Amino acid sequence: MAGVLIRMKLAIIRNSMTGGRAAWMLVGAAFGLLFAAGTIWLTMVDLPAEKVRGDLLACVFVMWTLGWLIGPLWGGSAVLRADHFALLPVPRRKLAVGLLGAAFVGITTAVTLVGFTSLIVYGGRHGLVPALVAAPVAAVQLVFVVLLSRVAYALFGVVAASRVGAAVTGLLFAAMLVLTQSGWMIALAIAYSDILTTGFSATTTTVLRAIPSSWGIVAVDAAARGDWPLAVGAPLGLAVLSGLLLLVWSIELGASRRARVTIGGGGAHGTPGTGPVRAVVVKELRTWWRDPLRITTATVPLFWALGTVLLPLTFDARLLLPWAGPALALFAITSACNLYSQDGTAVWQTLTAGAQRADVRGRQWAYLIVFGPPAVLLGAGFTWWGGYTWTWPWVAALIPALLGGGAGLIVYASVFGLVPGPDAHKRPSNPLERADTTGQSNVLFWVGLLPAVPAAGVVFLGSRLDLTWLTWAGVPVGVATGVLVAYRLGALAARRLATHGPDLLHTMRTGRAVPAARATPQKGSSVEGLLWGLGSILLLPQGLIPLIFILRGVEARSWFLAMYLPAAYGIPVAVVSALGGLYLYARAIMLHVDTRAQRPEVT
């Protein structure tokens, strides 16, 4: 059974490794390998106190585990789902074992295996015997994280069957995302403290070693000091825990096929009012309130923004508090970037009614109603709480620009970059199953900052010249930019939906692009995806962000190349990087336009 499913998954991956998806898989693999190399490097570098190495490795293994918990929620449904085999007379436990074997076939599992070889290197520092003990333990640890990921994803789907459960799922997902992305805070805290010399406290060490992801380290340390009952018991406990996870997963796979999850509304069912746009707004607001996937989509940006700005309070730092509103407006773009795919083939109703423009505008207004008030309230409340008066014009200018830009980008990306996923009526077993928008979300996180650049430039120029009126002039600039981007991108999305609606419907229904007879293959899609990704890196983290930091005198090197150079050289490097990013963006747009121009019109 496992062999059949593995060959099936390999065939699916081989046929799906085309275009932008292949590019993003390669980019993700590259970043994953860098993290794996960093994990191995941690076990090889010389530290002032050798005893702290195990605790540091335990922290990194916790981050690997959190990544496996977040991955399925963010990346969408698995390549092979249990629903695909619902009608086959296959025992559920046998199916679970087969799907588990297929789960090990993929780039993510291979990268994780490379990272977990750090446990063998760590054991090798203690001798040959601990290294031999670490080899099978690393394999068991890999099985554990894969099973934990599958079980957590299934349980999240069960919890999300209600409105409160979907919100709780969004909270948990955002919390794991914040903890994963905040590893740099932990690294800075460790680097600027005496932990590397004195080690962690006894309580912290005990807590870290009690987490199952650290039991491999416990086994290696026990083998090094000759404590064989613990050296055998720790991996055996991890194996037993993996067996329990497999049992839970098989039970979940064997559960009866549930009806599609729906959440009823209130008792009032008034008419939407006059006008097609208003009707779409009402329909969209009801969907945001009732669909578990939409509820999770709406709550993740809120909780992510709160977690991102509140976490530094553990270091008594309030600098991020004023940016809660802009952070919410920005992350909402990445969360709601695939709306049409979430609705699935129901788009045929819009196409047959000829209401493409009303549908796009209604979705934009609903997006602003859902995310606008929380962003404004968070921006005002947390800016007042933070006490940094100089941030008021920044927050007031950035929020409308990001909200308006988001309203345009979500519909534009949903139409031009639609990622097909399970249709709404075909995901009853897990209401959170959706398309894999990892690549699209990463691009939009950085592209979403672009509408705020004009307003931020005006505010920055006003603060540098010490002109109050110019500083606050960024607010109308932000409003105008947001309105312009929302209107223009919305118009392009509506036109695309009107001219290529049948192609989008075909893609959502079959999961594949239009046949070759109707459209030429997009040979430049892989290159286009790389241009967007590399352009985003050059423009923002290697260009604009270090440039602002240098001009404001902020000491935060991190991975900003320009921050490691003297100011006289750092500023030109940052400017050249930003210009290089804009050039790559322009090349990507030109390539996209050329590719579309080569397609024959639909007949």
Side-chain angles (χ1 to χ4, degrees), residues 43 45-54 122 125-126 196-197:
T43 62
V45 67
D46 293 330
L47 297 175
E50 185 63 27
K51 63 180 182 180
V52 77
R53 190 186 308 276
Y122 175 73
R125 297 183 67 92
H126 296 282
L196 295 178
T197 303

Side-chain angles (χ1 to χ4, degrees), residues 38-57 117-135 217 220-221 223-225:
T39 306
I40 298 174
W41 172 82
L42 178 62
T43 62
M44 301 174 64
V45 67
D46 293 330
L47 297 175
E50 185 63 27
K51 63 180 182 180
V52 77
R53 190 186 308 276
D55 292 336
L56 293 177
L57 188 60
T117 57
S118 60
L119 188 62
I120 302 176
V121 180
Y122 175 73
R125 297 183 67 92
H126 296 282
L128 178 60
V129 175
L132 294 176
V133 171
I217 301 174
V220 172
D221 288 342
R225 62 176 181 267

Side-chain angles (χ1 to χ4, degrees), residues 51-57 59 186 190 194-196 198-205 208:
K51 63 180 182 180
V52 77
R53 190 186 308 276
D55 292 336
L56 293 177
L57 188 60
C59 292
I186 300 176
I190 293 175
D194 57 352
I195 290 178
L196 295 178
T198 61
F200 288 88
S201 65
T203 303
T204 303
T205 299
L208 284 174

Side-chain angles (χ1 to χ4, degrees), residues 254-343:
S256 58
R257 186 177 175 87
R258 295 182 288 270
R260 181 189 174 189
V261 177
T262 55
I263 301 175
H269 298 282
T271 57
T274 58
V277 175
R278 183 172 180 179
V280 175
V281 171
V282 173
K283 184 265 294 183
E284 280 293 298
L285 291 178
R286 288 177 178 173
T287 304
W288 281 104
W289 181 243
R290 297 179 183 180
D291 185 7
L293 182 56
R294 289 286 191 98
I295 294 173
T296 303
T297 300
T299 53
V300 168
L302 173 63
F303 293 130
W304 177 85
L306 290 174
T308 300
V309 303
L310 292 177
L311 186 61
L313 291 179
T314 57
F315 303 101
D316 197 23
R318 297 191 175 191
L319 183 61
L320 292 184
L321 288 178
W323 312 108
L328 169 59
L330 175 62
F331 203 80
I333 303 173
T334 69
S335 184
C337 63
N338 205 30
L339 290 182
Y340 278 102
S341 178
Q342 291 182 6
D343 291 351

